[in-house]
Amino acid sequence: MPVIKYPRVRDPLFYEWDRKAQKCGLRHTIYAVNGDQYTGEWLDNLKHGKGTQIWKNTGAIYSGDWKFGKRDGYGSYSIPDPVTKEYKRVYTGWWENDRRGGRGVFFYPNGECYEGEWSNGLRSGWGKMQYKDGSVYEGQWLVDQPSGQGVLRLANGNRYEGGWKDGKKHGPGKYFYLDKGQKLEGIWVADIPKCGVLVDFGRDNAPAPTQHPLPEIELHDPAGVLAEAQAMFDDSHN
């Protein structure tokens, strides 16, 4: 009986071309249609692993971890200086789902710097902000604003310790006027002290003390006065 040989079924040629086009593992530089370029690792045709991306329009560069096509993990983002063309670091730290997430350091164009925690690209958690006027805030953040407990140290040495809300002093706190040798302890609402007790504090070592010390006023229960003010504050914000 003669043997009948059937032709071997082969996939269409475009199937083979498609398999070759799929990017997986370490690849050389890949250029996008818009001119962006990426060099690094891939998985299932997505940037995944270690890699470097350069955006053509801005010249910005990111080097670090990727996960399924998005910046995720640890990485550094830099942009070129418009005058010198030298790269200036903008952010170094952790990323989640293509946004700053976790702990990292951000350098602002005006010279300010934030080091701390991030969530969804915003300052959230515990962090330290150095402002261009020389003041420093260290404490809790929420949705890119000081919120919770924190300390603000001014360039002249004065400082505030206490509550914050939406970037303003809010709640019980202490303000140390070290230049004058005084301390105000009380309750703040939207950056304004509503009530409190002002006393001399380190007046002998103050660089610019007041001409006369504060008169002593006897309060039978100064702690009770502040506690009562705190209770009124809590009631009005519940």
Side-chain angles (χ1 to χ4, degrees):
M1 182 176 180
V3 177
I4 300 176
K5 294 184 178 181
Y6 294 96
R8 187 170 59 179
V9 178
R10 297 186 59 182
D11 292 334
L13 191 58
F14 69 84
Y15 279 12
E16 183 179 353
W17 293 342
D18 186 62
R19 281 194 296 269
K20 289 183 178 180
Q22 294 296 314
K23 295 178 283 293
C24 190
L26 183 62
R27 295 289 295 269
H28 293 297
T29 302
I30 301 296
Y31 293 88
V33 176
N34 62 2
D36 296 347
Q37 53 182 290
Y38 172 81
T39 305
E41 297 177 303
W42 298 78
L43 179 64
D44 296 333
N45 217 33
L46 295 173
K47 302 162 193 169
H48 191 89
K50 301 289 185 181
T52 300
Q53 167 97 9
I54 301 178
W55 287 266
K56 181 180 180 181
N57 288 340
T58 62
I61 181 171
Y62 169 82
S63 182
D65 296 326
W66 296 78
K67 188 175 181 181
F68 301 118
K70 297 181 178 181
R71 292 168 290 185
D72 200 297
Y74 190 84
S76 180
Y77 179 81
S78 303
I79 60 174
D81 186 277
V83 179
T84 64
K85 305 303 180 182
E86 295 182 357
Y87 275 94
K88 299 174 63 177
R89 185 171 47 173
V90 175
Y91 176 77
T92 297
W94 293 92
W95 301 73
E96 293 178 356
N97 197 30
D98 220 32
R99 294 182 177 182
R100 294 183 292 273
R103 190 165 186 85
V105 183
F106 190 94
F107 300 90
Y108 293 84
N110 61 0
E112 297 180 345
C113 175
Y114 172 82
E115 180 178 1
E117 297 175 306
W118 299 79
S119 179
N120 293 322
L122 302 175
R123 294 168 289 186
S124 293
W126 190 269
K128 180 179 180 180
M129 182 74 187
Q130 300 183 37
Y131 298 95
K132 61 181 180 181
D133 62 1
S135 59
V136 178
Y137 170 83
E138 186 171 3
Q140 295 175 306
W141 295 74
L142 182 64
V143 195
D144 228 30
Q145 295 287 351
S147 292
Q149 294 295 310
V151 178
L152 175 65
R153 295 179 176 86
L154 303 181
N156 63 0
N158 294 348
R159 73 177 187 273
Y160 169 81
E161 302 175 0
W164 295 79
K165 182 180 180 182
D166 299 330
K168 297 180 179 180
K169 306 175 193 67
H170 197 83
K174 300 176 183 179
Y175 201 109
F176 296 86
Y177 299 91
L178 299 182
D179 56 340
K180 298 180 180 180
Q182 296 178 337
K183 179 185 73 171
L184 173 62
E185 183 175 357
I187 305 295
W188 272 257
V189 175
D191 245 4
I192 300 174
K194 293 296 184 178
C195 66
V197 178
L198 182 66
V199 297
D200 285 328
F201 183 86
R203 187 173 181 278
D204 294 338
N205 298 321
T210 56
Q211 184 176 0
H212 302 287
L214 290 172
E216 295 185 3
I217 300 176
E218 292 188 6
L219 291 176
H220 297 291
D221 186 12
V225 173
L226 290 176
E228 183 178 350
Q230 175 67 57
M232 294 176 62
F233 174 83
D234 294 338
D235 290 342
S236 63
H237 290 80
N238 286 335

